[in-house]
Amino acid sequence: MVPGSIALLLLTLLATAAAAAMDPDERETLFRVMEAVSSDRDWRVESPDPCGSPWPGLECKPAGGVGAARMHVTRLDFGVEPNPACKDTAAFPPEVFSLPRLQSLFFVDCFTNPAATTTLALPAPGNLSASGLQQLSIRANPALSGTMPPALASLRSLQVLTVSQNGLVRGEIPPGVGDLTSLVRLDLSYNSLSGPVPTRIGQLRSLVGLDLSYNSLSGAIPGRIGELRQLQKLDLSSNNLTGGIPDTVANLTSLTFLALSNNGLSGRFPPGISGLRSLQYLIMDNNPMGVPLPSELGSLARLQELRLAGSGYSGPIPEAFGQLASLTTLSLQDNNLTGPIPAALSRLGRMYHLNLSNNALGGAVPFDGAFLRRLGGNLDLSGNSGLCLDDRSVLRGVGVGACRGGGDGGISSSAQGSSGNGVMRTSGSLLNLLGPACVAVSCLFAMSEHAPY
Ligand SMILES: *[C@@H]1O[C@H](CO)[C@@H](O)[C@H](O)[C@H]1NC(C)=O
Ligand SMILES: *[C@@H]1O[C@H](CO)[C@@H](O)[C@H](O)[C@H]1NC(C)=O
Ligand SMILES: *[C@@H]1O[C@H](CO)[C@@H](O)[C@H](O)[C@H]1NC(C)=O
Ligand SMILES: *[C@@H]1O[C@H](CO)[C@@H](O)[C@H](O)[C@H]1NC(C)=O
Ligand SMILES: *[C@@H]1O[C@H](CO)[C@@H](O)[C@H](O)[C@H]1NC(C)=O
C-alpha cells in the first residue's frame, strides 16, 4: 500500500470516529427528552452513545464538514412498538425542539393517563425559527390538553403536521398555520377545536391533504380554500360549519375526495362543480341544503361514491345521475325527493349500494331481476309510499314464483296509493306477509329463494 493511501485511510477512520460522537449538549438534550417521556430503561447508562447504536424510534445522520462531521438526531418516535413506550407520567418535552437537526417527531398513543394531562408546550417562537422539522405527528393522545400553540407557525420547514385524535386539545386553529407554506398534509381531525377555519389557510399552496373533520369548527368555509390548487383530499365533515359551499371550490380540480357531512351547510352547489373532473368521493350527508339535486353532478365521470342523505333535497333524482358509470354507492335516503327512479340508474354496472329510502319517490321501480339480485341487501327503497314493483318485469327477470302464492300477484305499477305499512306498495303479494321487518326490495328475493315451488 502506498503511503498516500494509508494517510487517506487514516483520515477516513478519524472522520468516522468523529462522526460517531455526538455533540455533548445535543446528547444531554436527548437524554432529558427520553427521561421526560419514557421510563423504558435508564437511557444514560444503557445507551451512553445513542447515535452509535440507536434504539428503534431513534434515527441519526452525520452532518457538518469533513473531519468536523458529527452524528445528529434526525428522527424521534414515541409510543407504539417497537418505539419506546411512554411512561404514565409522560410530559410533552419542549426541549425536543432544541435538537438542531431533528426532521421528524412522533408522539402516537403516548400521553394517555387521564390523571397526568400535559399540554402541547412549545418554546418561544425565537427558539423555533431555526428548526428544520419537516414532520410533526401528535396522534391518539387522550391526555394531551390545552390549545394549539401559535408558536407552531414558526416551524416553517413543516411538510406534514398531524395533531389528531387528542380529544382534549381545544381552542382555535392558530391563523399562523397559514404561514407554514411548505405543508403538504395538514390533519387536525378528531380534536375539540372551535372557532373558524382560518382564512389564511388559502396560503398553503402545496397542500395535498387537508383534514379538519370531527371538531367543532364554526362559521363559513373560507372562499380562499379555492386557492389550494394541489388539494386532492378535503375533509371538513362533522363540524358546525354554516353558509354555502364557496363557489371557489369549483377551482379545486385535483380533488379526488371531498367530505362535508354533518355540518350546517345550506344552499346550492357551486356553479362549475362539474369541473371537479378527478372527484371520486363526494360525501355530504346531513346538511340542511334544502335545494333540488343539481344535474351537473352527473358530469363527474370518476365519481365512485355519492352520498347526499339527510339534506332536505327536493325534486326529482336527475336523469343525468345515470351517466355516473363508475358509481358504486349512491346514498340519497332521508330527503324529500319526488318523481320516479330514473331508469338509467339500472344501467350503472358497478353499483352495489343504493339507498333511496325515506323519500317521496313514486312510480314503478325500473330495476330488473339481475340488478336486484346483484345489489341484494344493499338496495333500500323502503319508506317511499308511492313506489311499486312491476310484477311482470320481476317475474321475467328473476322468476319470483313465490309471489303467486299471494293470490292475484296484484302488484300495481301505478305511482299513487298507500301501502298502509310504509313499505313498497305490494297489496296481495307475498311481501305483505313478510311484515314490517322486511322493508327492502331485496327481502322479496331473499325469501323467494327459499320458497318451495
Ligand atoms: C430559548 O432560547 C433562549 C436564548 O437562546 C435560551 O436561553 C432558552 O434556553 C431557550 N429555550 C428552550 C426551551 O430551548
Ligand atoms: C353549533 O352552532 C350552533 C349555533 O352557533 C350552536 O348553538 C351549537 O351549540 C353548535 N354545536 C356544536 C356541536 O358546536
Ligand atoms: C376560482 O373561482 C372563482 C369563483 O368561482 C372564479 O371567479 C375564478 O375565476 C376561479 N379562478 C380560476 C383560476 O379558475
Ligand atoms: C321535507 O319533508 C318533511 C316531511 O314531509 C317536511 O317536514 C320538510 O319541511 C320537508 N323539507 C323540505 C326542505 O321540503
Ligand atoms: C338506508 O338508509 C336508512 C336510513 O338512514 C338506513 O336505516 C338503512 O339501513 C340504509 N339501508 C341500507 C341497505 O344501507
Side-chain angles (χ1 to χ4, degrees):
M1 209 180 260
V2 278
S5 53
I6 292 174
L8 195 65
L9 183 68
L10 274 175
L11 266 178
T12 310
L13 283 174
L14 278 172
T16 310
M22 290 176 72
D23 177 87
D25 285 349
E26 185 175 349
R27 191 178 52 198
E28 176 60 24
T29 301
L30 176 61
F31 284 142
R32 291 216 314 273
V33 169
M34 297 312 292
E35 286 158 2
V37 179
S38 163
S39 59
D40 264 9
R41 45 180 152 136
D42 186 340
W43 299 95
R44 289 172 197 269
V45 173
E46 294 178 36
S47 303
D49 179 17
C51 286
S53 51
W55 55 82
L58 172 68
E59 271 177 28
C60 301
K61 282 183 186 152
V66 176
R70 283 184 181 277
M71 294 300 276
H72 294 282
V73 178
T74 53
R75 178 184 167 121
L76 262 182
D77 207 325
F78 289 99
V80 175
E81 289 277 328
N83 306 311
C86 300
K87 62 180 177 183
D88 234 22
T89 54
F92 189 86
E95 56 271 61
V96 76
F97 295 98
S98 308
L99 295 170
R101 302 274 172 161
L102 194 64
Q103 290 174 357
S104 308
L105 179 58
F106 296 80
F107 295 96
V108 180
D109 205 9
C110 179
F111 311 109
T112 57
N113 178 5
T117 56
T118 181
T119 58
L120 190 48
L122 262 55
N127 295 51
L128 291 172
S129 50
S131 164
L133 198 65
Q134 292 169 9
Q135 176 159 16
L136 177 59
S137 291
I138 301 174
R139 191 158 51 78
N141 298 290
L144 189 68
S145 72
T147 57
M148 301 240 323
L152 273 175
S154 302
L155 296 169
R156 293 298 169 90
S157 302
L158 278 182
Q159 294 169 17
V160 176
L161 176 57
T162 302
V163 180
S164 172
Q165 301 168 49
N166 314 292
L168 296 181
V169 171
R170 59 183 194 279
E172 302 201 353
I173 299 174
V177 162
D179 297 334
L180 300 175
T181 51
S182 300
L183 275 184
V184 175
R185 291 185 196 283
L186 177 59
D187 178 358
L188 306 179
S189 61
Y190 292 90
N191 297 302
S192 301
L193 300 171
S194 56
V197 177
T199 302
R200 278 156 70 189
I201 223 154
Q203 295 167 191
L204 302 178
R205 302 296 167 86
S206 303
L207 216 53
V208 169
L210 175 59
D211 187 350
L212 306 178
S213 63
Y214 291 88
N215 281 289
S216 299
L217 301 172
S218 57
I221 300 174
R224 287 196 66 189
I225 210 144
E227 295 173 32
L228 306 176
R229 298 303 170 86
Q230 309 296 320
L231 210 56
Q232 293 172 18
K233 176 185 171 179
L234 175 58
D235 193 346
L236 303 176
S237 33
S238 298
N239 279 291
N240 209 358
L241 300 169
T242 49
I245 305 170
D247 286 354
T248 53
V249 163
N251 290 339
L252 299 176
T253 51
S254 302
L255 269 190
T256 60
F257 181 98
L258 175 59
L260 301 172
S261 294
N262 306 320
N263 278 293
L265 300 172
S266 58
R268 59 167 174 71
F269 281 82
I273 187 99
S274 57
L276 300 182
R277 297 283 172 190
S278 308
L279 203 60
Q280 295 172 20
Y281 298 87
L282 178 52
I283 318 282
M284 257 195 80
D285 298 323
N286 303 321
N287 282 285
M289 295 291 282
V291 291
L293 287 175
S295 55
E296 284 90 332
L297 295 181
S299 307
L300 300 172
R302 302 243 175 106
L303 217 52
Q304 293 175 25
E305 289 194 18
L306 180 56
R307 297 176 184 256
L308 302 170
S311 300
Y313 292 110
S314 55
I317 300 174
E319 191 72 32
F321 283 16
Q323 299 163 18
L324 296 169
S326 305
L327 209 60
T328 60
T329 296
L330 178 59
S331 301
L332 300 176
Q333 69 270 23
D334 304 319
N335 284 299
N336 287 8
L337 300 171
T338 51
I341 299 174
L345 290 188
S346 67
R347 294 192 285 273
L348 297 178
R350 302 203 177 148
M351 183 92 82
Y352 77 92
H353 196 159
L354 176 59
N355 199 338
L356 304 178
S357 65
N358 304 325
N359 279 290
L361 299 166
V365 173
F367 305 134
D368 63 15
F371 186 91
L372 295 169
R373 272 196 306 274
R374 175 151 59 85
L375 272 71
N378 290 328
L379 174 66
D380 197 339
L381 304 178
S382 60
N384 289 283
S385 58
L387 275 184
C388 58
L389 204 51
D390 182 336
D391 51 343
R392 280 162 305 170
S393 78
V394 168
L395 288 171
R396 195 170 54 241
V398 206
V400 188
C403 264
R404 284 173 297 179
D408 60 359
I411 301 170
S412 166
S413 63
S414 93
Q416 298 310 316
S418 111
S419 67
N421 60 358
V423 179
M424 281 190 307
R425 185 170 181 218
T426 53
S427 56
S429 77
L430 174 67
L431 203 53
N432 273 0
L433 306 175
L434 298 178
C438 186
V439 292
V441 172
S442 55
C443 300
L444 185 56
F445 303 98
M447 293 303 288
S448 69
E449 279 172 16
H450 302 291
Y453 65 94

